[in-house]
Amino acid sequence: MAFNTKHGSVVCLLILGVLTTPTVSVYTLTDQGGLGARFDGVGGLSGGGATSRLLVSYPEPYRSQILDYLFKPNFGAALQILKVEIGGDAQSGVGSEPSHMHSAGDQNYTRGYEWWLMREAKKRNPSMRLYGLPWAFPGWVGGGEAFPYHRPETTASYIVNWILGAKTVHGLTIDYVGIWNERIHDVTYIKTLRKTLDDNDLGHVMIVAPDGGWVQISKDIMADSELAAAVDIIGAHYPGTHSPPMAQQTGKTLWSSEDYSTYNNGTGASCWARILNQNYVNGHMTSTIAWNLIASYYDDLPFPRAGLMTANQPWSGHYEVSDPIWVTAHTTHFTSPGWHYLKSVGHLDGGGSYVALTDGKGGLTIVIEAMSHKYSQCIRPLLPPYDVKSGQAATFRLGGSFENITRLHLWYSKLIGSQTEHFKSQDDVEVSGGMFSIEVEENCLYTLTTVKEDQPKTYPTSPAPAPFLLPYKANFDGPADSSEAPYFADQTGVFELYVNESSSDHGGTLRQNLTERPIVWCNDADSAISVIGDYNWSNVSVSCDVMVESGGGAFVAARVDRGGCDISQAKGVFFWLLEDDTYNWMLSTDLSRNHVLGQGKVNATIVGQWHTLTLFVKGDSVAGFLNGGNVLFDITDAQLPTKKGFAAIGTLGFQKVQFNNFAVDTSKL
């Protein structure tokens, strides 16, 4: 039967009392005979890569509001684990993140924004667990080999330095560390990492391996007692809610250390609701971590809005508290790491699943989901067909420590189209004789718990979305919470704010700092590039002062059509200034310079001198100016390959180049 509450008519139905019809299924929840596995928490992943890039540039109060929705206990998602990328100076999916050690003699623990993000998470929840994982490594780590395991002691020391820097510079205790994201693991390296951690009084740091698949690491652990002692947790990615028998036979804690990766609408939320329960029910996984934490990157980069929420307009202050935030709350508001699952968890007879957790002191939280196949498909892996009955009746019998519970607080969400309702408190459920019954509706999520909580407050709706307005100018002066310039999204290379003490006219600059190709995770370009702006920009001018420090070259660009792991294939309009004996300027329609529209020689010293590059693009017309007045090209029928895209700056290769007085405006051609 349906009924009304203080929140209005409920679509997800509840039946109080004990149902006596023959079709009712009865599920027993008890701690008699012991408990199940320790619950380790629900997490979000910032990285893989640069997925939180725009968040740090949000103005207050919106930035703090977003952080509260992610991390503040009993408010929004109330996440319990924050996993971050250990930046490796290379593209790792959506962008590149800077390393703490560009070279063997370099250590800087203020680069990037992950330090800031971890501090903000811990500020809101001091119990937050922190987890670091590399996707890529600086080139020097490999000692001439494009492989991080070539010198295991060097690589282990590099990772341990990051953990030590987190503590000494930021007061952050790292709890977990991984090996190499979704790449082959190396047994010798894992053992070396364990020894290096222990030698640096970091015995508390637990190793998660391999952050990829189940099979090989399980075989290796079963065959090698020293490796088994080194690895604390087997972490798999996108396991489809299942773990193989061999992984379970290792006796190791099992995690889905990266999962979800789905557009954050109702379908994405339903995917998340299903796997949060079924990763334990089917696969005995005690933690699930969402990639990604927050979609704080441009929509036209890969995997748009594949975060628990979206915040990708710092210029307007607009953000969206997406459906997965409230799905997460169904578990995190009423549990804590250290609780235990009951052994009596499982599937509903009519489809869906239930888990129950306890604090070991008589507290109980039950989460029930009935997500349909149609509306809960994650982006990966393929979800086998199944059916969910709507309106299936279920009776729960409480035993052991729970048999004297007389009422449970009830929360529900409905996750389908215009009927969507988020995390609503309903009237308490009366438990009579240790039993209660509910009617479970399709695409609904329920939490029944002994933990009392008021309906969480929310912030007023954020400002309306707005396009990235022109003109835009940046001179790279002033302090920042990140080493990177606001709104720029590095795709290859590392562009960092820099104080140029040798120039009074260019004191604050943006500098591309890599001088060696990193050990890459995907197909980085041979040229460093950072994109910015509105992908719909078409007829624009892009201008920037550049100074090539010691050879190579620099460019400004418009209509750049892509980022991420395909950045080496980027097309657009690229205006190059080069240190070359044959020609020192070039116009190309791709980053790899395979398609050249023009090139030539200008009488100017390139290295060590500041020059202003200005590119105008309108329709198929393009013009380029050097230092304000010297017209290097003016083509009226260029038949350009892209009609819109990002603006960008970059370098010919991995050379140090400084940029200043960047500007984008409507083209005056």
Side-chain angles (χ1 to χ4, degrees), residues 257-333:
S257 54
E258 183 179 323
D259 218 325
Y260 173 65
S261 187
T262 302
Y263 195 93
N264 57 23
N265 56 10
T267 296
S270 298
C271 150
W272 185 231
R274 178 175 53 78
I275 63 178
L276 281 178
N277 264 23
Q278 295 193 28
N279 274 348
Y280 185 75
V281 171
N282 300 336
H284 210 65
M285 288 167 268
T286 58
S287 177
T288 299
I289 299 174
W291 187 90
N292 53 70
L293 171 73
I294 183 167
S296 201
Y297 48 93
Y298 294 113
D299 272 342
D300 292 283
L301 291 174
F303 302 101
R305 302 189 176 229
L308 297 178
M309 63 180 289
T310 299
N312 59 7
Q313 286 202 357
W315 51 86
S316 71
H318 177 74
Y319 64 86
E320 298 171 17
V321 185
S322 308
D323 296 353
I325 291 290
W326 303 116
V327 166
T328 312
H330 272 272
T331 297
T332 58
H333 282 223

Side-chain angles (χ1 to χ4, degrees), residues 370-422:
M371 302 301 140
S372 68
H373 182 273
K374 181 178 180 180
Y375 291 110
S376 71
Q377 296 184 51
C378 305
I379 193 171
R380 51 187 158 169
L382 181 67
L383 181 62
Y386 66 89
D387 294 318
V388 173
K389 291 181 181 178
S390 190
Q392 60 177 304
T395 293
F396 288 85
R397 177 184 292 113
L398 306 183
S401 300
F402 317 120
E403 61 186 7
N404 293 322
I405 292 174
T406 58
R407 67 175 57 242
L408 291 168
H409 311 298
L410 174 65
W411 297 77
Y412 91 97
S413 293
K414 188 170 182 68
L415 301 169
I416 182 167
S418 61
Q419 302 175 47
T420 296
E421 294 189 75
H422 294 136

Side-chain angles (χ1 to χ4, degrees), residues 159-443:
I159 294 297
V160 167
N161 281 340
W162 183 86
I163 296 171
L164 293 171
K167 186 66 174 180
T168 57
V169 177
H170 301 282
L172 297 168
T173 298
I174 303 301
D175 301 288
Y176 311 103
V177 67
I179 306 304
W180 188 12
N181 182 72
E182 296 176 353
R183 295 295 179 264
I184 187 172
H185 67 272
D186 180 85
V187 170
T188 299
Y189 170 68
I190 295 174
K191 295 176 183 178
T192 303
L193 177 60
R194 179 72 270 163
K195 182 180 185 302
T196 309
L197 288 166
D198 293 344
D199 289 347
N200 285 272
D201 296 323
L202 295 171
H204 69 277
V205 179
M206 303 178 77
I207 291 179
V208 184
D211 271 299
W214 295 112
V215 176
Q216 190 58 52
I217 190 67
S218 299
K219 288 181 179 178
D220 291 343
I221 287 172
M222 296 288 278
D224 188 331
S225 59
E226 185 182 354
L227 177 66
V231 175
D232 298 283
I233 298 163
I234 299 179
H237 288 191
Y238 306 97
T241 76
H242 292 275
S243 61
M246 181 177 287
Q248 298 179 28
Q249 290 165 11
T250 65
K252 294 297 178 183
T253 296
L254 307 181
W255 283 10
S256 178
S257 54
E258 183 179 323
D259 218 325
Y260 173 65
S261 187
T262 302
Y263 195 93
N264 57 23
N265 56 10
T267 296
S270 298
C271 150
W272 185 231
R274 178 175 53 78
I275 63 178
L276 281 178
N277 264 23
Q278 295 193 28
N279 274 348
Y280 185 75
V281 171
N282 300 336
H284 210 65
M285 288 167 268
T286 58
S287 177
T288 299
I289 299 174
W291 187 90
N292 53 70
L293 171 73
I294 183 167
S296 201
Y297 48 93
Y298 294 113
D299 272 342
D300 292 283
L301 291 174
F303 302 101
R305 302 189 176 229
L308 297 178
M309 63 180 289
T310 299
N312 59 7
Q313 286 202 357
W315 51 86
S316 71
H318 177 74
Y319 64 86
E320 298 171 17
V321 185
S322 308
D323 296 353
I325 291 290
W326 303 116
V327 166
T328 312
H330 272 272
T331 297
T332 58
H333 282 223
F334 310 108
T335 63
S336 295
W339 282 44
H340 281 75
Y341 288 97
L342 301 189
K343 291 181 178 179
S344 47
V345 302
H347 291 276
L348 300 174
D349 291 343
S353 65
Y354 64 94
V355 295
L357 303 96
T358 181
D359 61 359
K361 303 174 184 177
L364 178 67
T365 292
I366 307 160
V367 184
I368 304 168
E369 60 81 21
M371 302 301 140
S372 68
H373 182 273
K374 181 178 180 180
Y375 291 110
S376 71
Q377 296 184 51
C378 305
I379 193 171
R380 51 187 158 169
L382 181 67
L383 181 62
Y386 66 89
D387 294 318
V388 173
K389 291 181 181 178
S390 190
Q392 60 177 304
T395 293
F396 288 85
R397 177 184 292 113
L398 306 183
S401 300
F402 317 120
E403 61 186 7
N404 293 322
I405 292 174
T406 58
R407 67 175 57 242
L408 291 168
H409 311 298
L410 174 65
W411 297 77
Y412 91 97
S413 293
K414 188 170 182 68
L415 301 169
I416 182 167
S418 61
Q419 302 175 47
T420 296
E421 294 189 75
H422 294 136
F423 197 55
K424 297 298 185 182
S425 174
Q426 296 186 5
D427 293 337
D428 289 351
V429 174
E430 301 293 335
V431 182
S432 176
M435 301 182 74
F436 69 92
S437 300
I438 66 172
E439 186 173 333
V440 178
E441 289 292 321
E442 189 179 23
N443 297 310

